[in-house]
Amino acid sequence: MDSPVKETAAVSTATTAGPAVPGGSASRASRATRATRLGPVALVVAGGLSVQFGSAVAVLLMPRAGALGVVTLRLVLAAAVLLLVCRPKVRGHSRADWGTVLAFGAAMSGMNILFYLAVDRIPLGAAVTLEVLGPLALSVIASRHLANLLWAGLALGGVVLLSGGGFDRLDPAGAGFALAAGAMWAAYIVFSARTGRRFPQADGLALAMAVGAVISLPFGIVEAGDRLLVPSTVGLGLAVALMSSVLPYTLELLALRRLPAPTFAILMSLEPAIAATAGFLVLHQALGVTDALAIALVIAASMGAVRTQARRSAGGPA
């Protein structure tokens, strides 16, 4: 999980050891800056790919366990994996640390429950498109720079275009669940960043995942009962847990240690594009010209947000 950091360190070491040439220091600094900038962005993109393809697999699992049963399998199995791998310490943390973990776990659980209730009623691409409005709203509220507002607006245009103007034809309950999931997603971003600052490595994530699993467990038992114990269902649930929780949440936690929350939130506008691709490849949902244009808009907005943040961090004009 620390490979982007190691890569940046390797770039710095290798360039420092090279021969002195005119302008060499500036060149090395430029390469190091690019590596530092692209590292967390790569983490976000990799996490988005993993979570959306995992969500597509989860849609296939819903007939077996129901929406809430899938959430329970996802969070319980993900918590088991993270607790086993991380073995976080439960002593030596302040009351504020535990408050952050509890809030993070509650946001994570609420986000997942609401999102799966949404995709049980409306298409995956539409659900993610509505859900991403939460992070976009966070980027607008948290940012104090005009450039970020412009990139958020461009991303919002792509998100609306990706909907195909079909939101009015969606199941109202499904659309409402997706919008509520977006609000929880914004809370997830805030508390994920705080957890990453308070706990080493992925320890805070493991503890928060356990909190989310405990919250979701009664809902899953009521809906699915002993269907949660069917071996083939558990196997698919483990795949969803790894793809949609363990890997992406860990990558996002690492990214949020090196990216401001507004920039990270704008990068989340990539999620509808990734979801549309996952829907096409896994669920056989067609992509049209309008979808391609919408995807281009959200990618352009995300790239612009990253470049703006990089210039600001380097002391240049935003």
Side-chain angles (χ1 to χ4, degrees), residues 45-64:
V45 173
L49 287 168
S50 182
V51 74
Q52 295 307 331
F53 277 88
S55 295
V57 175
V59 171
L60 300 176
L61 180 58
M62 282 183 185
R64 298 189 181 199

Side-chain angles (χ1 to χ4, degrees), residues 84-107:
L84 182 62
V85 172
C86 298
R87 298 182 181 180
K89 295 179 180 180
V90 295
R91 295 182 179 179
H93 302 300
S94 68
R95 182 176 298 181
D97 293 339
W98 282 112
T100 300
V101 161
L102 291 173
F104 186 23

Side-chain angles (χ1 to χ4, degrees), residues 15-75:
T15 52
T16 302
V21 294
S25 297
S27 178
R28 287 195 297 270
S30 177
R31 287 195 294 270
T33 300
R34 285 196 298 269
T36 302
R37 180 174 73 243
L38 293 177
V41 175
L43 294 177
V44 173
V45 173
L49 287 168
S50 182
V51 74
Q52 295 307 331
F53 277 88
S55 295
V57 175
V59 171
L60 300 176
L61 180 58
M62 282 183 185
R64 298 189 181 199
L68 297 178
V70 172
V71 173
T72 296
L73 283 172
R74 171 179 170 174
L75 294 182

Side-chain angles (χ1 to χ4, degrees), residues 55 58-59 62 65-72 74 108-124 126-128 130-131 170-182 184 216 219-220 223:
S55 295
V59 171
M62 282 183 185
L68 297 178
V70 172
V71 173
T72 296
R74 171 179 170 174
M108 189 186 305
S109 177
M111 177 180 68
N112 280 281
I113 290 172
L114 291 165
F115 177 72
Y116 281 111
L117 288 173
V119 297
D120 194 35
R121 293 166 171 79
I122 61 178
L124 175 63
V128 177
L130 284 170
E131 187 190 24
L170 295 177
D171 175 79
F177 284 134
L179 289 171
M184 297 304 294
S216 70
F219 297 100
E223 177 165 350

